[in-house]
Amino acid sequence: MKTFPMFLRMTGRRVVVVGGGEQAAQKARLILKTEAKVIVLAPVLEAELADLAAAGRIAHETGRISGHSFADCALVFIATGCPGIDMALHAMAKDAGATVNVVDQPQLCDAITPSIVDRDPVVVAIGTEGTAPVLARQIKTKLEEILEPRLGDLAALAGRLRNAASMRLAPRTRRDLWRWVFNDSPRRLFASGAERDAARLIKTAIETGEFGQKTGGSISIVGAGPGAKDLITLRGVQRLQEADVIYYDRLLDPEILELARRDAERIYVGKAPGCHSWPQEKITQSLVATAKRGHRVVRLKCGDPGIFRRTTEETDAIKANGIPFEVVPGVTAACAAAASMVQGLTERGEMNSSVFMTGS
């Protein structure tokens, strides 16, 4: 990455916008979504900015611009419409130590404005490092369709109730609570407009510790696919994000583990020819013991769990101990190899079956 995504705390901080035209209005409009203090430097303001100044939502300064104008700023947006003036102001702002965005001149930008999906306090920022703003807007449109309009209000309610949940519920129970809130009845009620009913339901759950269907430990045997992290299934990603403990194999792309929850424990159980530091029996016993302690466990395997992966040995032991489990299939390397050669594994009139054999 050439740029690093980060959310800045803006409450009470100064943001300077230089320019009084439409481009300056666009930047002011964006920053006014935050709690920053917006100062616009320009001799004359277009209609929207003039209305904002009259309403007291922005400060308008018409005097001479100097390095002092950019002192103690969180951000500076330069949008005069004149490339030469913008470049001179950029140099002045940089001398003052400011972080600068010059509209339509990415080579002069310390910060790039992303496309934003706003469900305050849930905010999704989409950036392409200035290379494809049209693509960023397309992604924004898809996310706008996925995220219901009131999702931010539900997140805000959850934030207000976090302390109450922390005082009454154990960490594992709290995770289950919030998973239930955002996956189950409360979210559906909120989306349908029944905010009070959803709030009452969540508060009752915090008071009683009773919500949804209580579950103990469980095991998901997940196929990671043939290597690339974007070839794991959506269900596989979901299980990784829910997991408390992940047992993973040797041939996995390390980036796949980045899809997991950050605080999930990761245990390497890879085997190499002639070097089995984790024999299969030890892996199976550890899976069962971890799930019995109430953890959500993922056994992450390369390719598909059902092909040359000793999955039956693990599932037999899991069944014998009465632990809930599932097998999440993955793209097997056989299919991936055929796809990379643009070759089907079967072909009408030529090949009507495929046979998988071990290499040993």
Side-chain angles (χ1 to χ4, degrees):
M1 294 188 299
K2 294 180 180 178
T3 59
F4 183 74
M6 179 180 289
F7 290 94
L8 302 177
R9 193 174 297 280
M10 300 301 291
T11 303
R13 302 183 71 184
R14 295 177 73 244
V15 175
V16 171
V17 179
V18 186
E22 172 58 26
Q23 290 181 324
Q26 291 173 3
K27 300 303 182 184
R29 193 185 309 137
L30 179 65
I31 296 300
L32 284 172
K33 291 177 177 287
T34 74
E35 297 178 355
K37 297 178 180 177
V38 180
I39 300 96
V40 177
L41 310 181
V44 179
L45 300 180
E46 58 90 62
E48 181 183 358
L49 287 173
D51 287 344
L52 290 171
R57 297 192 61 197
I58 64 173
H60 178 210
E61 297 182 6
T62 60
R64 179 177 173 272
I65 298 174
S66 66
H68 181 71
S69 304
F70 305 113
D72 192 28
C73 288
L75 285 170
V76 172
F77 292 98
I78 298 176
T80 68
C82 173
I85 295 175
D86 283 353
M87 188 172 293
L89 290 169
H90 169 267
M92 190 183 297
K94 291 302 297 177
D95 286 343
T99 299
V100 184
N101 174 285
V102 181
V103 175
D104 290 339
Q105 296 197 56
Q107 74 278 7
L108 297 180
C109 291
D110 303 312
I112 298 173
T113 307
S115 291
I116 292 175
V117 179
D118 184 4
R119 301 288 188 273
D120 185 29
V122 177
V123 179
V124 182
I126 305 126
T128 62
E129 296 186 341
T131 61
V134 171
L135 175 61
R137 287 195 292 272
Q138 288 177 351
I139 296 171
K140 168 184 165 66
T141 299
K142 290 185 180 296
L143 290 175
E144 292 281 6
E145 295 170 357
I146 293 170
L147 302 179
E148 60 268 28
R150 300 300 306 277
L151 181 60
D153 293 327
L154 177 59
L157 173 63
R160 294 192 296 271
L161 295 174
R162 285 181 68 86
N163 287 340
S166 296
M167 289 188 290
R168 299 189 68 90
L169 303 175
R172 165 64 191 272
T173 306
R174 289 201 302 273
R175 284 201 298 271
D176 289 342
L177 168 74
W178 299 125
R179 187 178 292 113
W180 168 74
V181 166
F182 291 111
N183 283 331
D184 212 310
S185 305
R187 184 167 180 175
R188 288 196 297 270
L189 285 170
F190 230 91
S192 68
E195 295 92 343
R196 290 184 180 180
D197 292 339
R200 191 179 304 113
L201 197 63
I202 299 169
K203 291 175 183 178
T204 300
I206 292 172
E207 288 290 326
T208 63
E210 298 293 330
F211 49 89
Q213 182 178 355
K214 290 291 184 180
T215 59
S218 63
I219 299 174
S220 296
I221 301 175
V222 177
K229 72 175 184 179
D230 58 349
L231 286 176
I232 188 173
T233 65
L234 290 174
R235 184 180 296 184
V237 172
Q238 185 178 27
R239 295 299 176 265
L240 281 175
Q241 292 173 347
E242 294 172 348
D244 302 308
V245 183
I246 300 166
Y247 293 81
Y248 66 98
D249 278 348
R250 178 172 63 95
L251 298 176
L252 287 174
D253 180 347
E255 289 192 5
I256 290 178
L257 293 173
E258 295 298 317
L259 300 171
R261 215 176 66 226
R262 251 183 303 186
D263 59 342
E265 183 180 358
R266 294 156 170 79
I267 300 175
Y268 174 70
V269 294
K271 304 186 190 76
C275 181
H276 292 183
S277 59
W278 275 77
Q280 184 59 48
E281 185 178 354
K282 180 181 177 182
I283 295 173
T284 303
Q285 291 174 349
S286 185
L287 288 173
V288 169
T290 303
K292 281 186 172 180
R293 290 196 295 271
H295 295 300
R296 287 184 173 86
V297 179
V298 163
R299 173 72 171 101
L300 190 60
K301 296 172 177 280
C302 302
D304 180 84
I307 301 179
F308 309 138
R309 288 290 176 263
R310 304 182 73 171
T311 297
T312 302
E313 298 172 47
E314 294 171 353
T315 56
D316 285 348
I318 295 167
K319 290 176 188 175
N321 284 273
I323 297 169
F325 76 98
E326 68 174 330
V327 177
V328 180
V331 178
T332 177
C335 293
S340 69
M341 296 185 294
V342 196
Q343 172 67 55
L345 291 176
T346 61
E347 180 63 36
R348 187 172 59 183
E350 296 183 18
M351 301 177 291
N352 60 9
S353 64
S354 297
V355 178
F356 296 162
M357 301 177 65
T358 62
S360 60

